[in-house]
């Protein structure tokens, strides 16, 4: 290496730090410019501030605009759970079998009754019906075979006589006539049984609970037959 070349290299070595310094300075200025809040950044921050202000306004306005609601009044609804309780005296040979037919045929009817099976409708005396009312029944249905179908020949004719007596006694006591009913239902008349039960239940429901009832469920009553 010639001395001239050495001089050139040394000259270049001496120059490089100056260029590096310039580059560093340029980098520093650029980084400073990037870090320093520039105009667009300032716009962004202003926009952010505006949005936060808007959101605050939106959050606060409903509270301010919401009218003061009156305190809720607790409305106590009248109890409408009362359902009529019926007692059905049914002849073993016809009406009881008719109820069975209704059940087997899946015919829908109201379930507000308890059935007492007797061998013939002629067996139903006024005392049976009055005892049912005394024990909390709201209505009593007496049902038997059609005329001519009674297994005991004239049992249902006897039932008519007994029922007339029962009606008179109920009148004397103050029980409405609509609370007792006499019907003839055969073993094949499942649909008719359901219809009679529905009609009589609605009829008694319209009359309301029996005045002297202690509102006891019929399950607690004793057998009157
Ligand atoms: S056997 Fe049914 S009413 Fe007499």
């Amino acid at each position: 290496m010639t001395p001239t070349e050495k001089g050139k290299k040394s000259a270049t070595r001496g120059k490089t730090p100056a260029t590096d310094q310039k580059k560093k300075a340029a980098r520093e200025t650029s980084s400073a410019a990037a870090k320093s809040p520039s105009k667009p950044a300032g716009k962004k921050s202003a926009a952010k501030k505006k949005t936060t202000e808007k959101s605050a306004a939106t959050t606060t306005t409903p509270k301010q605009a919401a009218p003061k609601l009156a305190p809720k009044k607790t409305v106590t609804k009248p109890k409408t759970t009362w359902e009529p309780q019926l007692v059905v005296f049914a002849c073993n040979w016809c009406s009881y079998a008719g109820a069975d037919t209704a059940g087997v045929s899946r015919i829908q009817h109201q379930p507000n009754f308890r059935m007492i099976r007797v061998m013939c409708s002629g067996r139903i005396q006024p005392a049976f019906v009055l005892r049912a009312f005394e024990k909390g029944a709201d209505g009593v249905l007496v049902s038997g075979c059609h005329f001519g179908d009674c297994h005991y020949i004239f049992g249902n004719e006897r039932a008519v006589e007994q029922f007339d007596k029962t009606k008179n006694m109920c009148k004397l006591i103050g029980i409405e006539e609509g609370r007792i009913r006499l019907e003839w239902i055969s073993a094949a008349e499942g649909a008719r049984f359901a219809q009679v039960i529905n009609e009589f239940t609605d009829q008694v429901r319209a009359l309301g609970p029996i005045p002297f009832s202690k509102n006891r469920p019929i399950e607690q009553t004793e057998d009157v037959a």
Side-chain angles (χ1 to χ4, degrees):
M1 190 179 283
T2 58
T4 53
E5 286 172 352
K6 279 183 181 177
K8 280 181 183 176
K9 274 191 177 179
S10 62
T12 53
R13 280 175 190 167
K15 283 177 185 175
T16 47
T19 54
D20 289 342
Q21 283 175 0
K22 281 180 183 176
K23 284 178 182 175
K24 277 182 182 177
R27 282 175 195 162
E28 283 172 2
T29 50
S30 62
S31 63
K35 285 178 182 177
S36 66
S38 59
K39 285 180 182 177
K43 281 180 183 176
K44 279 182 182 176
S45 62
K48 277 183 182 176
K49 278 181 184 178
K50 280 181 182 177
T51 50
T52 50
E53 283 171 5
K54 277 183 183 177
S55 63
T58 50
T59 50
T60 53
T61 46
K63 284 180 183 176
Q64 291 168 359
K68 286 182 180 178
L69 296 169
K72 284 183 180 178
K73 289 179 182 176
T74 51
V75 181
T76 51
K77 290 181 181 176
K79 286 182 180 178
T80 55
T81 52
W82 179 80
E83 282 291 319
Q85 301 285 315
L86 310 179
V87 168
V88 178
F89 290 103
C91 155
N92 175 62
W93 304 104
C94 291
S95 303
Y96 193 83
D100 194 34
T101 305
V104 169
S105 308
R106 295 173 182 264
I107 299 168
Q108 299 287 317
H109 57 73
Q110 301 192 49
N112 310 49
F113 68 94
R114 298 292 179 271
M115 186 170 276
I116 298 170
R117 181 171 55 168
V118 291
M119 292 308 288
C120 179
S121 61
R123 176 73 178 92
I124 309 304
Q125 296 172 2
F128 292 7
V129 178
L130 297 179
R131 187 63 179 269
F133 282 129
E134 184 194 349
K135 291 293 179 181
D138 299 302
V140 176
L141 172 69
V142 178
S143 60
C145 307
H146 289 275
F147 286 114
D149 290 345
C150 176
H151 278 54
Y152 307 98
I153 316 298
F154 54 85
N156 43 15
E157 290 172 17
R158 170 92 175 142
V160 173
E161 292 169 13
Q162 296 289 338
F163 190 75
D164 288 339
K165 285 181 190 173
T166 309
K167 268 167 78 173
N168 291 333
M169 292 178 87
C170 286
K171 268 185 193 175
L172 283 171
I173 295 167
I175 296 170
E176 299 97 327
E177 204 175 311
R179 293 189 187 275
I180 53 172
R181 190 161 172 172
L182 177 63
E183 290 286 344
W184 310 125
I185 303 167
S186 75
E189 293 175 323
R192 177 165 160 70
F193 175 82
Q195 184 195 345
V196 167
I197 288 292
N198 286 334
E199 282 177 12
F200 191 48
T201 306
D202 291 338
Q203 185 179 320
V204 174
R205 188 181 284 116
L207 290 170
I210 199 159
F212 46 81
S213 167
K214 292 175 184 173
N215 212 13
R216 285 176 294 185
I218 287 176
E219 285 88 351
Q220 291 179 9
T221 62
E222 299 167 14
D223 288 332
V224 293

